Structure formats: structure tokens, C-alpha cells
mmCIF file of all heavy atoms in Angstrom:
data_model
loop_
_atom_site.group_PDB
_atom_site.id
_atom_site.type_symbol
_atom_site.label_atom_id
_atom_site.label_comp_id
_atom_site.label_asym_id
_atom_site.label_seq_id
_atom_site.Cartn_x
_atom_site.Cartn_y
_atom_site.Cartn_z
ATOM 1 N N GLN P 12 -13.555 -19.202 -61.887
ATOM 2 C CA GLN P 12 -14.121 -18.670 -63.129
ATOM 3 C C GLN P 12 -13.866 -17.173 -63.240
ATOM 4 O O GLN P 12 -13.538 -16.668 -64.324
ATOM 5 C CB GLN P 12 -15.624 -18.960 -63.196
ATOM 6 C CG GLN P 12 -15.954 -20.417 -63.374
ATOM 7 C CD GLN P 12 -17.441 -20.698 -63.272
ATOM 8 O OE1 GLN P 12 -18.235 -19.837 -62.875
ATOM 9 N NE2 GLN P 12 -17.824 -21.916 -63.621
ATOM 10 N N VAL P 13 -13.993 -16.460 -62.135
ATOM 11 C CA VAL P 13 -13.727 -15.017 -62.128
ATOM 12 C C VAL P 13 -12.273 -14.751 -62.495
ATOM 13 O O VAL P 13 -11.972 -13.889 -63.323
ATOM 14 C CB VAL P 13 -14.076 -14.393 -60.755
ATOM 15 C CG1 VAL P 13 -13.540 -12.975 -60.653
ATOM 16 C CG2 VAL P 13 -15.570 -14.431 -60.515
ATOM 17 N N ARG P 14 -11.353 -15.514 -61.906
ATOM 18 C CA ARG P 14 -9.930 -15.339 -62.208
ATOM 19 C C ARG P 14 -9.646 -15.655 -63.671
ATOM 20 O O ARG P 14 -8.893 -14.931 -64.340
ATOM 21 C CB ARG P 14 -9.097 -16.235 -61.296
ATOM 22 C CG ARG P 14 -7.609 -16.012 -61.441
ATOM 23 C CD ARG P 14 -6.833 -16.741 -60.350
ATOM 24 N NE ARG P 14 -5.437 -16.415 -60.401
ATOM 25 C CZ ARG P 14 -4.540 -17.024 -61.175
ATOM 26 N NH1 ARG P 14 -4.911 -17.993 -61.977
ATOM 27 N NH2 ARG P 14 -3.276 -16.660 -61.147
ATOM 28 N N SER P 15 -10.273 -16.698 -64.178
ATOM 29 C CA SER P 15 -10.083 -17.069 -65.578
ATOM 30 C C SER P 15 -10.557 -15.959 -66.509
ATOM 31 O O SER P 15 -9.896 -15.634 -67.499
ATOM 32 C CB SER P 15 -10.853 -18.359 -65.865
ATOM 33 O OG SER P 15 -10.869 -18.646 -67.226
ATOM 34 N N GLU P 16 -11.699 -15.366 -66.202
ATOM 35 C CA GLU P 16 -12.214 -14.262 -67.024
ATOM 36 C C GLU P 16 -11.339 -13.020 -66.881
ATOM 37 O O GLU P 16 -11.113 -12.300 -67.843
ATOM 38 C CB GLU P 16 -13.658 -13.934 -66.638
ATOM 39 C CG GLU P 16 -14.652 -15.003 -67.029
ATOM 40 C CD GLU P 16 -14.729 -15.234 -68.521
ATOM 41 O OE1 GLU P 16 -14.688 -14.254 -69.295
ATOM 42 O OE2 GLU P 16 -14.820 -16.406 -68.920
ATOM 43 N N ALA P 17 -10.839 -12.759 -65.681
ATOM 44 C CA ALA P 17 -9.992 -11.582 -65.459
ATOM 45 C C ALA P 17 -8.687 -11.684 -66.246
ATOM 46 O O ALA P 17 -8.139 -10.658 -66.679
ATOM 47 C CB ALA P 17 -9.703 -11.411 -63.975
ATOM 48 N N LEU P 18 -8.197 -12.892 -66.451
ATOM 49 C CA LEU P 18 -6.952 -13.061 -67.212
ATOM 50 C C LEU P 18 -7.149 -12.770 -68.698
ATOM 51 O O LEU P 18 -6.183 -12.563 -69.420
ATOM 52 C CB LEU P 18 -6.408 -14.480 -67.028
ATOM 53 C CG LEU P 18 -5.884 -14.798 -65.623
ATOM 54 C CD1 LEU P 18 -5.516 -16.281 -65.522
ATOM 55 C CD2 LEU P 18 -4.700 -13.914 -65.279
ATOM 56 N N LYS P 19 -8.392 -12.718 -69.161
ATOM 57 C CA LYS P 19 -8.680 -12.442 -70.571
ATOM 58 C C LYS P 19 -8.671 -10.946 -70.892
ATOM 59 O O LYS P 19 -8.727 -10.562 -72.049
ATOM 60 C CB LYS P 19 -10.046 -13.015 -70.954
ATOM 61 C CG LYS P 19 -10.114 -14.518 -70.896
ATOM 62 C CD LYS P 19 -11.510 -15.004 -71.245
ATOM 63 C CE LYS P 19 -11.648 -16.501 -71.078
ATOM 64 N NZ LYS P 19 -13.023 -16.952 -71.361
ATOM 65 N N ILE P 20 -8.608 -10.123 -69.853
ATOM 66 C CA ILE P 20 -8.647 -8.676 -70.054
ATOM 67 C C ILE P 20 -7.359 -8.206 -70.713
ATOM 68 O O ILE P 20 -6.259 -8.585 -70.298
ATOM 69 C CB ILE P 20 -8.839 -7.934 -68.710
ATOM 70 C CG1 ILE P 20 -10.177 -8.312 -68.088
ATOM 71 C CG2 ILE P 20 -8.717 -6.425 -68.892
ATOM 72 C CD1 ILE P 20 -10.364 -7.794 -66.686
ATOM 73 N N THR P 21 -7.485 -7.386 -71.750
ATOM 74 C CA THR P 21 -6.305 -6.783 -72.374
ATOM 75 C C THR P 21 -6.340 -5.280 -72.105
ATOM 76 O O THR P 21 -7.328 -4.605 -72.399
ATOM 77 C CB THR P 21 -6.290 -7.023 -73.898
ATOM 78 O OG1 THR P 21 -7.488 -6.505 -74.461
ATOM 79 C CG2 THR P 21 -6.158 -8.491 -74.213
ATOM 80 N N TRP P 22 -5.299 -4.784 -71.509
ATOM 81 C CA TRP P 22 -5.218 -3.368 -71.169
ATOM 82 C C TRP P 22 -4.578 -2.612 -72.328
ATOM 83 O O TRP P 22 -3.700 -3.125 -73.006
ATOM 84 C CB TRP P 22 -4.395 -3.182 -69.895
ATOM 85 C CG TRP P 22 -5.062 -3.802 -68.716
ATOM 86 C CD1 TRP P 22 -4.789 -5.018 -68.168
ATOM 87 C CD2 TRP P 22 -6.134 -3.253 -67.955
ATOM 88 N NE1 TRP P 22 -5.621 -5.256 -67.118
ATOM 89 C CE2 TRP P 22 -6.456 -4.195 -66.949
ATOM 90 C CE3 TRP P 22 -6.859 -2.071 -68.023
ATOM 91 C CZ2 TRP P 22 -7.468 -3.975 -66.025
ATOM 92 C CZ3 TRP P 22 -7.869 -1.855 -67.095
ATOM 93 C CH2 TRP P 22 -8.167 -2.790 -66.115
ATOM 94 N N PRO P 23 -4.988 -1.348 -72.540
ATOM 95 C CA PRO P 23 -4.381 -0.562 -73.614
ATOM 96 C C PRO P 23 -2.930 -0.224 -73.278
ATOM 97 O O PRO P 23 -2.560 -0.097 -72.112
ATOM 98 C CB PRO P 23 -5.241 0.701 -73.663
ATOM 99 C CG PRO P 23 -5.871 0.797 -72.325
ATOM 100 C CD PRO P 23 -6.033 -0.607 -71.831
ATOM 101 N N SER P 24 -2.140 -0.041 -74.333
ATOM 102 C CA SER P 24 -0.746 0.342 -74.138
ATOM 103 C C SER P 24 -0.673 1.823 -73.746
ATOM 104 O O SER P 24 -1.658 2.557 -73.826
ATOM 105 C CB SER P 24 0.045 0.120 -75.427
ATOM 106 O OG SER P 24 -0.403 1.016 -76.425
ATOM 107 N N ARG P 25 0.495 2.243 -73.346
ATOM 108 C CA ARG P 25 0.694 3.647 -72.967
ATOM 109 C C ARG P 25 0.398 4.562 -74.161
ATOM 110 O O ARG P 25 -0.218 5.616 -74.025
ATOM 111 C CB ARG P 25 2.120 3.859 -72.466
ATOM 112 C CG ARG P 25 2.405 5.274 -71.999
ATOM 113 C CD ARG P 25 3.815 5.390 -71.456
ATOM 114 N NE ARG P 25 4.051 4.582 -70.283
ATOM 115 C CZ ARG P 25 3.839 5.001 -69.030
ATOM 116 N NH1 ARG P 25 3.397 6.219 -68.818
ATOM 117 N NH2 ARG P 25 4.092 4.216 -68.014
ATOM 118 N N ARG P 26 0.815 4.123 -75.353
ATOM 119 C CA ARG P 26 0.587 4.918 -76.577
ATOM 120 C C ARG P 26 -0.912 5.029 -76.875
ATOM 121 O O ARG P 26 -1.405 6.112 -77.201
ATOM 122 C CB ARG P 26 1.324 4.272 -77.752
ATOM 123 C CG ARG P 26 1.214 5.059 -79.036
ATOM 124 C CD ARG P 26 2.086 4.422 -80.131
ATOM 125 N NE ARG P 26 2.065 5.218 -81.339
ATOM 126 C CZ ARG P 26 1.161 5.069 -82.318
ATOM 127 N NH1 ARG P 26 0.236 4.145 -82.227
ATOM 128 N NH2 ARG P 26 1.209 5.839 -83.380
ATOM 129 N N GLU P 27 -1.628 3.920 -76.776
ATOM 130 C CA GLU P 27 -3.072 3.949 -77.029
ATOM 131 C C GLU P 27 -3.794 4.847 -76.023
ATOM 132 O O GLU P 27 -4.711 5.592 -76.388
ATOM 133 C CB GLU P 27 -3.654 2.532 -76.958
ATOM 134 C CG GLU P 27 -3.235 1.638 -78.099
ATOM 135 C CD GLU P 27 -3.626 0.193 -77.888
ATOM 136 O OE1 GLU P 27 -3.709 -0.260 -76.721
ATOM 137 O OE2 GLU P 27 -3.834 -0.491 -78.902
ATOM 138 N N THR P 28 -3.361 4.791 -74.776
ATOM 139 C CA THR P 28 -3.963 5.641 -73.748
ATOM 140 C C THR P 28 -3.696 7.111 -74.035
ATOM 141 O O THR P 28 -4.596 7.952 -73.905
ATOM 142 C CB THR P 28 -3.417 5.257 -72.360
ATOM 143 O OG1 THR P 28 -3.674 3.872 -72.136
ATOM 144 C CG2 THR P 28 -4.067 6.075 -71.269
ATOM 145 N N ALA P 29 -2.477 7.448 -74.438
ATOM 146 C CA ALA P 29 -2.127 8.838 -74.739
ATOM 147 C C ALA P 29 -2.921 9.350 -75.936
ATOM 148 O O ALA P 29 -3.434 10.479 -75.913
ATOM 149 C CB ALA P 29 -0.627 8.958 -74.999
ATOM 150 N N ILE P 30 -3.049 8.533 -76.979
ATOM 151 C CA ILE P 30 -3.801 8.947 -78.166
ATOM 152 C C ILE P 30 -5.269 9.157 -77.824
ATOM 153 O O ILE P 30 -5.886 10.149 -78.225
ATOM 154 C CB ILE P 30 -3.626 7.916 -79.303
ATOM 155 C CG1 ILE P 30 -2.204 7.973 -79.849
ATOM 156 C CG2 ILE P 30 -4.639 8.148 -80.409
ATOM 157 C CD1 ILE P 30 -1.871 6.859 -80.820
ATOM 158 N N SER P 31 -5.848 8.233 -77.062
ATOM 159 C CA SER P 31 -7.254 8.363 -76.671
ATOM 160 C C SER P 31 -7.483 9.609 -75.818
ATOM 161 O O SER P 31 -8.466 10.328 -76.001
ATOM 162 C CB SER P 31 -7.708 7.123 -75.899
ATOM 163 O OG SER P 31 -7.635 5.989 -76.712
ATOM 164 N N THR P 32 -6.563 9.867 -74.907
ATOM 165 C CA THR P 32 -6.673 11.056 -74.053
ATOM 166 C C THR P 32 -6.610 12.321 -74.892
ATOM 167 O O THR P 32 -7.405 13.253 -74.701
ATOM 168 C CB THR P 32 -5.560 11.052 -72.994
ATOM 169 O OG1 THR P 32 -5.678 9.864 -72.213
ATOM 170 C CG2 THR P 32 -5.657 12.268 -72.097
ATOM 171 N N ALA P 33 -5.683 12.376 -75.840
ATOM 172 C CA ALA P 33 -5.554 13.552 -76.708
ATOM 173 C C ALA P 33 -6.824 13.748 -77.543
ATOM 174 O O ALA P 33 -7.301 14.876 -77.700
ATOM 175 C CB ALA P 33 -4.339 13.408 -77.615
ATOM 176 N N MET P 34 -7.373 12.655 -78.049
ATOM 177 C CA MET P 34 -8.599 12.758 -78.848
ATOM 178 C C MET P 34 -9.756 13.294 -78.011
ATOM 179 O O MET P 34 -10.538 14.132 -78.471
ATOM 180 C CB MET P 34 -8.958 11.389 -79.443
ATOM 181 C CG MET P 34 -8.005 10.943 -80.534
ATOM 182 S SD MET P 34 -8.274 9.255 -81.090
ATOM 183 C CE MET P 34 -9.953 9.308 -81.646
ATOM 184 N N VAL P 35 -9.866 12.823 -76.780
ATOM 185 C CA VAL P 35 -10.933 13.305 -75.900
ATOM 186 C C VAL P 35 -10.759 14.795 -75.623
ATOM 187 O O VAL P 35 -11.728 15.565 -75.676
ATOM 188 C CB VAL P 35 -10.964 12.493 -74.585
ATOM 189 C CG1 VAL P 35 -11.849 13.165 -73.546
ATOM 190 C CG2 VAL P 35 -11.445 11.077 -74.853
ATOM 191 N N LEU P 36 -9.546 15.223 -75.343
ATOM 192 C CA LEU P 36 -9.299 16.644 -75.053
ATOM 193 C C LEU P 36 -9.617 17.519 -76.267
ATOM 194 O O LEU P 36 -10.216 18.592 -76.117
ATOM 195 C CB LEU P 36 -7.861 16.847 -74.598
ATOM 196 C CG LEU P 36 -7.523 16.248 -73.226
ATOM 197 C CD1 LEU P 36 -6.037 16.407 -72.927
ATOM 198 C CD2 LEU P 36 -8.371 16.863 -72.134
ATOM 199 N N VAL P 37 -9.252 17.072 -77.464
ATOM 200 C CA VAL P 37 -9.555 17.835 -78.680
ATOM 201 C C VAL P 37 -11.063 17.936 -78.865
ATOM 202 O O VAL P 37 -11.600 19.012 -79.178
ATOM 203 C CB VAL P 37 -8.874 17.189 -79.910
ATOM 204 C CG1 VAL P 37 -9.422 17.745 -81.197
ATOM 205 C CG2 VAL P 37 -7.367 17.386 -79.834
ATOM 206 N N MET P 38 -11.780 16.838 -78.669
ATOM 207 C CA MET P 38 -13.238 16.854 -78.830
ATOM 208 C C MET P 38 -13.905 17.750 -77.778
ATOM 209 O O MET P 38 -14.898 18.412 -78.074
ATOM 210 C CB MET P 38 -13.797 15.435 -78.759
ATOM 211 C CG MET P 38 -13.413 14.585 -79.955
ATOM 212 S SD MET P 38 -13.843 15.331 -81.551
ATOM 213 C CE MET P 38 -15.610 15.372 -81.442
ATOM 214 N N VAL P 39 -13.364 17.783 -76.569
ATOM 215 C CA VAL P 39 -13.903 18.661 -75.525
ATOM 216 C C VAL P 39 -13.733 20.118 -75.931
ATOM 217 O O VAL P 39 -14.657 20.932 -75.765
ATOM 218 C CB VAL P 39 -13.228 18.372 -74.164
ATOM 219 C CG1 VAL P 39 -13.487 19.478 -73.165
ATOM 220 C CG2 VAL P 39 -13.707 17.040 -73.622
ATOM 221 N N VAL P 40 -12.583 20.462 -76.496
ATOM 222 C CA VAL P 40 -12.350 21.843 -76.947
ATOM 223 C C VAL P 40 -13.323 22.204 -78.072
ATOM 224 O O VAL P 40 -13.943 23.272 -78.060
ATOM 225 C CB VAL P 40 -10.879 22.036 -77.388
ATOM 226 C CG1 VAL P 40 -10.694 23.357 -78.114
ATOM 227 C CG2 VAL P 40 -9.963 21.958 -76.184
ATOM 228 N N PHE P 41 -13.497 21.285 -79.053
ATOM 229 C CA PHE P 41 -14.451 21.540 -80.143
ATOM 230 C C PHE P 41 -15.865 21.716 -79.613
ATOM 231 O O PHE P 41 -16.592 22.618 -80.028
ATOM 232 C CB PHE P 41 -14.421 20.424 -81.183
ATOM 233 C CG PHE P 41 -13.252 20.493 -82.123
ATOM 234 C CD1 PHE P 41 -12.652 19.331 -82.565
ATOM 235 C CD2 PHE P 41 -12.745 21.705 -82.575
ATOM 236 C CE1 PHE P 41 -11.571 19.372 -83.437
ATOM 237 C CE2 PHE P 41 -11.668 21.762 -83.441
ATOM 238 C CZ PHE P 41 -11.082 20.593 -83.874
ATOM 239 N N ALA P 42 -16.272 20.859 -78.678
ATOM 240 C CA ALA P 42 -17.615 20.955 -78.116
ATOM 241 C C ALA P 42 -17.790 22.275 -77.360
ATOM 242 O O ALA P 42 -18.828 22.937 -77.479
ATOM 243 C CB ALA P 42 -17.900 19.770 -77.189
ATOM 244 N N ALA P 43 -16.781 22.668 -76.602
ATOM 245 C CA ALA P 43 -16.859 23.923 -75.848
ATOM 246 C C ALA P 43 -16.988 25.115 -76.796
ATOM 247 O O ALA P 43 -17.803 26.017 -76.573
ATOM 248 C CB ALA P 43 -15.632 24.085 -74.958
ATOM 249 N N LEU P 44 -16.203 25.126 -77.861
ATOM 250 C CA LEU P 44 -16.284 26.221 -78.833
ATOM 251 C C LEU P 44 -17.638 26.244 -79.536
ATOM 252 O O LEU P 44 -18.227 27.311 -79.737
ATOM 253 C CB LEU P 44 -15.154 26.104 -79.856
ATOM 254 C CG LEU P 44 -13.744 26.355 -79.319
ATOM 255 C CD1 LEU P 44 -12.707 26.030 -80.383
ATOM 256 C CD2 LEU P 44 -13.607 27.783 -78.828
ATOM 257 N N PHE P 45 -18.140 25.053 -79.891
ATOM 258 C CA PHE P 45 -19.444 24.985 -80.550
ATOM 259 C C PHE P 45 -20.541 25.534 -79.645
ATOM 260 O O PHE P 45 -21.360 26.359 -80.068
ATOM 261 C CB PHE P 45 -19.768 23.539 -80.949
ATOM 262 C CG PHE P 45 -21.189 23.372 -81.393
ATOM 263 C CD1 PHE P 45 -21.577 23.775 -82.662
ATOM 264 C CD2 PHE P 45 -22.129 22.829 -80.543
ATOM 265 C CE1 PHE P 45 -22.900 23.645 -83.069
ATOM 266 C CE2 PHE P 45 -23.448 22.690 -80.942
ATOM 267 C CZ PHE P 45 -23.832 23.096 -82.213
ATOM 268 N N PHE P 46 -20.589 25.075 -78.395
ATOM 269 C CA PHE P 46 -21.648 25.531 -77.493
ATOM 270 C C PHE P 46 -21.494 27.002 -77.130
ATOM 271 O O PHE P 46 -22.493 27.710 -76.933
ATOM 272 C CB PHE P 46 -21.710 24.652 -76.237
ATOM 273 C CG PHE P 46 -22.305 23.303 -76.520
ATOM 274 C CD1 PHE P 46 -21.548 22.163 -76.385
ATOM 275 C CD2 PHE P 46 -23.615 23.179 -76.952
ATOM 276 C CE1 PHE P 46 -22.088 20.921 -76.662
ATOM 277 C CE2 PHE P 46 -24.166 21.944 -77.234
ATOM 278 C CZ PHE P 46 -23.403 20.806 -77.088
ATOM 279 N N PHE P 47 -20.264 27.510 -77.059
ATOM 280 C CA PHE P 47 -20.060 28.937 -76.832
ATOM 281 C C PHE P 47 -20.623 29.746 -77.999
ATOM 282 O O PHE P 47 -21.346 30.727 -77.802
ATOM 283 C CB PHE P 47 -18.570 29.243 -76.636
ATOM 284 C CG PHE P 47 -18.286 30.706 -76.507
ATOM 285 C CD1 PHE P 47 -18.577 31.369 -75.330
ATOM 286 C CD2 PHE P 47 -17.742 31.427 -77.558
ATOM 287 C CE1 PHE P 47 -18.327 32.732 -75.206
ATOM 288 C CE2 PHE P 47 -17.490 32.778 -77.453
ATOM 289 C CZ PHE P 47 -17.778 33.430 -76.262
ATOM 290 N N ALA P 48 -20.312 29.310 -79.226
ATOM 291 C CA ALA P 48 -20.811 30.011 -80.413
ATOM 292 C C ALA P 48 -22.330 29.926 -80.505
ATOM 293 O O ALA P 48 -22.993 30.927 -80.801
ATOM 294 C CB ALA P 48 -20.172 29.428 -81.673
ATOM 295 N N ALA P 49 -22.891 28.767 -80.221
ATOM 296 C CA ALA P 49 -24.346 28.603 -80.266
ATOM 297 C C ALA P 49 -25.010 29.497 -79.219
ATOM 298 O O ALA P 49 -26.026 30.144 -79.499
ATOM 299 C CB ALA P 49 -24.723 27.148 -80.036
ATOM 300 N N ASP P 50 -24.433 29.570 -78.030
ATOM 301 C CA ASP P 50 -24.981 30.417 -76.968
ATOM 302 C C ASP P 50 -24.931 31.889 -77.364
ATOM 303 O O ASP P 50 -25.901 32.635 -77.159
ATOM 304 C CB ASP P 50 -24.199 30.186 -75.678
ATOM 305 C CG ASP P 50 -24.745 31.006 -74.522
ATOM 306 O OD1 ASP P 50 -25.952 30.901 -74.244
ATOM 307 O OD2 ASP P 50 -23.945 31.746 -73.901
ATOM 308 N N GLN P 51 -23.812 32.315 -77.941
ATOM 309 C CA GLN P 51 -23.697 33.705 -78.371
ATOM 310 C C GLN P 51 -24.712 34.027 -79.467
ATOM 311 O O GLN P 51 -25.342 35.087 -79.445
ATOM 312 C CB GLN P 51 -22.277 33.985 -78.872
ATOM 313 C CG GLN P 51 -21.216 33.903 -77.792
ATOM 314 C CD GLN P 51 -21.432 34.911 -76.687
ATOM 315 O OE1 GLN P 51 -21.667 36.088 -76.927
ATOM 316 N NE2 GLN P 51 -21.382 34.444 -75.454
ATOM 317 N N LEU P 52 -24.872 33.127 -80.424
ATOM 318 C CA LEU P 52 -25.820 33.329 -81.519
ATOM 319 C C LEU P 52 -27.255 33.394 -81.007
ATOM 320 O O LEU P 52 -28.023 34.298 -81.379
ATOM 321 C CB LEU P 52 -25.684 32.211 -82.562
ATOM 322 C CG LEU P 52 -26.656 32.289 -83.740
ATOM 323 C CD1 LEU P 52 -26.375 33.534 -84.564
ATOM 324 C CD2 LEU P 52 -26.550 31.041 -84.589
ATOM 325 N N ILE P 53 -27.633 32.486 -80.139
ATOM 326 C CA ILE P 53 -28.994 32.488 -79.595
ATOM 327 C C ILE P 53 -29.233 33.746 -78.776
ATOM 328 O O ILE P 53 -30.301 34.370 -78.867
ATOM 329 C CB ILE P 53 -29.244 31.210 -78.770
ATOM 330 C CG1 ILE P 53 -29.272 29.993 -79.693
ATOM 331 C CG2 ILE P 53 -30.535 31.311 -77.976
ATOM 332 C CD1 ILE P 53 -29.256 28.660 -78.972
ATOM 333 N N GLY P 54 -28.255 34.145 -77.980
ATOM 334 C CA GLY P 54 -28.392 35.379 -77.195
ATOM 335 C C GLY P 54 -28.562 36.594 -78.086
ATOM 336 O O GLY P 54 -29.388 37.473 -77.822
ATOM 337 N N TRP P 55 -27.783 36.637 -79.167
ATOM 338 C CA TRP P 55 -27.887 37.766 -80.114
ATOM 339 C C TRP P 55 -29.263 37.783 -80.770
ATOM 340 O O TRP P 55 -29.880 38.846 -80.910
ATOM 341 C CB TRP P 55 -26.780 37.640 -81.166
ATOM 342 C CG TRP P 55 -26.837 38.711 -82.212
ATOM 343 C CD1 TRP P 55 -26.438 40.006 -82.076
ATOM 344 C CD2 TRP P 55 -27.343 38.566 -83.536
ATOM 345 N NE1 TRP P 55 -26.651 40.685 -83.254
ATOM 346 C CE2 TRP P 55 -27.218 39.822 -84.165
ATOM 347 C CE3 TRP P 55 -27.885 37.511 -84.251
ATOM 348 C CZ2 TRP P 55 -27.627 40.040 -85.474
ATOM 349 C CZ3 TRP P 55 -28.283 37.727 -85.551
ATOM 350 C CH2 TRP P 55 -28.162 38.980 -86.150
ATOM 351 N N LEU P 56 -29.761 36.610 -81.188
ATOM 352 C CA LEU P 56 -31.085 36.542 -81.821
ATOM 353 C C LEU P 56 -32.195 36.963 -80.859
ATOM 354 O O LEU P 56 -33.122 37.681 -81.245
ATOM 355 C CB LEU P 56 -31.358 35.123 -82.342
ATOM 356 C CG LEU P 56 -30.538 34.704 -83.561
ATOM 357 C CD1 LEU P 56 -30.753 33.226 -83.843
ATOM 358 C CD2 LEU P 56 -30.916 35.551 -84.766
ATOM 359 N N ILE P 57 -32.097 36.561 -79.611
ATOM 360 C CA ILE P 57 -33.121 36.929 -78.623
ATOM 361 C C ILE P 57 -33.088 38.431 -78.385
ATOM 362 O O ILE P 57 -34.130 39.088 -78.320
ATOM 363 C CB ILE P 57 -32.932 36.148 -77.318
ATOM 364 C CG1 ILE P 57 -33.321 34.690 -77.539
ATOM 365 C CG2 ILE P 57 -33.748 36.749 -76.179
ATOM 366 C CD1 ILE P 57 -33.057 33.775 -76.372
ATOM 367 N N ARG P 58 -31.895 39.006 -78.264
ATOM 368 C CA ARG P 58 -31.791 40.457 -78.082
ATOM 369 C C ARG P 58 -32.349 41.190 -79.302
ATOM 370 O O ARG P 58 -33.006 42.223 -79.180
ATOM 371 C CB ARG P 58 -30.342 40.867 -77.837
ATOM 372 C CG ARG P 58 -29.850 40.548 -76.444
ATOM 373 C CD ARG P 58 -28.517 41.185 -76.120
ATOM 374 N NE ARG P 58 -27.454 40.764 -77.023
ATOM 375 C CZ ARG P 58 -26.727 39.657 -76.863
ATOM 376 N NH1 ARG P 58 -26.945 38.877 -75.838
ATOM 377 N NH2 ARG P 58 -25.787 39.352 -77.728
#
């Protein structure tokens, strides 16, 4: 039964993996910029 279920797995293609990786990296950059800006703004307001 385990082997039968394992054969049902579909792996992403190389293209799908590359696109997903690029999307994750872009979102990480956006998140980093957002949190940097938020941190700077909060620090400025506190000062």
C-alpha cells in the first residue's frame, strides 16, 4: 500500500521548481525591505 501511494506522487518539473524558487526569493527581498523600512520608521518615531 505504501508503494502504491508513493507511485501517485507527482514531482514538479525543473521549470516549476525554478519559478517557485524565484518567487520565494523575490518575496524574501520584499519582506526584508518592508521590515527594514518599518524598523527605521518606528525607531524615528521613538526618537
Side-chain angles (χ1 to χ4, degrees):
Q12 291 173 349
V13 168
R14 186 170 186 275
S15 171
E16 290 298 320
L18 291 174
K19 295 178 185 177
I20 297 172
T21 57
W22 295 99
S24 67
R25 182 177 297 271
R26 183 175 184 271
E27 290 170 331
T28 303
I30 290 171
S31 297
T32 301
M34 290 172 59
V35 168
L36 291 175
V37 167
M38 291 306 296
V39 165
V40 168
F41 282 144
L44 292 173
F45 169 78
F46 286 115
F47 175 76
D50 182 54
Q51 294 299 312
L52 178 65
I53 292 169
W55 178 77
L56 289 172
I57 288 174
R58 284 191 300 275

